[in-house]
Amino acid sequence: APLTPVMVKYMTGIYVYNVAICPMEAIHGRQSLLHNFLSAGIIGYVGVARGMLGIPFLQNYHISNPPVAAFFVYGSIASAFSALGGKR
């Protein structure tokens, strides 16, 4: 199947997420939920601040600082998936 711009966007997002996690794990010498939380949170913050991402679950609410809300929402989602994958 040919690559579409949407597929490239998702692939780039996953790549950036993993690139953000790897140095943290190398520095600390172990995997941690905190690394996943920070990596996804930073990506969510930057994405919302630049208008490239929306905030899941919070579309219909007035939020005074959307990038900060995105940091916590994206970080929480990544932490939940990581916990399901066995990270502590």
Side-chain angles (χ1 to χ4, degrees):
L3 290 176
T4 64
V6 173
M7 289 172 60
V8 172
K9 184 190 240 185
Y10 289 139
M11 290 168 44
T12 304
I14 293 169
Y15 177 77
V16 169
Y17 173 70
N18 285 313
V19 165
I21 292 173
C22 286
M24 289 186 236
E25 290 179 352
I27 290 168
H28 292 108
R30 65 182 182 88
Q31 295 182 341
S32 170
L33 281 176
L34 183 60
H35 301 147
N36 294 74
F37 182 87
L38 291 173
S39 297
I42 291 167
I43 291 169
Y45 183 95
V46 171
V48 169
R50 292 189 178 189
M52 299 168 61
L53 295 173
I55 305 173
F57 312 117
L58 300 178
Q59 293 90 354
N60 298 326
Y61 296 98
H62 174 71
I63 302 167
S64 60
N65 196 344
V68 172
F71 177 85
F72 287 104
V73 170
Y74 279 94
S76 298
I77 291 169
S79 293
F81 279 118
S82 299
L84 290 172
K87 283 190 181 179
R88 295 183 192 202

